[in-house]
Amino acid sequence: MKVLGIDCSTKAIALVLLKDGEVADVKMIVANKGYNELQRLIYFASETNEYVNSVQPDAVAIEQAVYWKNYESTRKIIEVITAVKLALVNYHPETVNNRVWKKATVGYGNAPKTKILAYAQSKSIQITNQDLADSYCIAEYLYKKYSKKEEKQ
């Protein structure tokens, strides 16, 4: 089974593909600093769609937006997540709350970034930054979720 975890920010998209629970690929999609908001959204959607079509995952999960006190930051991250979800509509991506994937992977829902990075790096040397660490954990959460479903059948 191939599952894909996606972590979005306003500047980059981090993707980690697991195949049968092991890291098969990692990818960072980083927008050109000169892009305006619309260009960045189109770029993220296009590049994410192209990558996902090339790896053909069985399931996709995207981290749910974290709401900031700053309205503009919240709006921008929601727009990025929406653009990525629309680009992947044929894959029926699910959104997952960060407390849910943290609890399922690191062991507790309020795990700090340092613990998440250490956990993910203990699983794969390909995890080189915090965004990829989050994506790895999102993918692992999804893999565990679908593995449990298959066991019940």
Side-chain angles (χ1 to χ4, degrees), residues 76-117:
K76 287 178 182 179
I77 192 64
I78 289 171
E79 286 176 350
V80 171
I81 292 168
T82 301
V84 170
K85 286 174 70 175
L86 287 171
L88 303 179
V89 69
N90 292 333
Y91 291 92
H92 310 285
E94 67 177 82
T95 53
V96 59
N97 182 284
N98 67 355
R99 290 186 172 268
V100 171
W101 65 254
K102 287 178 184 180
K103 184 164 178 60
T105 57
V106 182
Y108 51 106
N110 62 347
K113 291 184 177 293
T114 54
K115 293 282 187 193
I116 297 162
L117 183 59

Side-chain angles (χ1 to χ4, degrees), residues 16 18 26 57 60-61 64 149:
V16 174
L18 299 184
V26 300
V60 178
Q64 183 179 17
K149 282 184 179 179

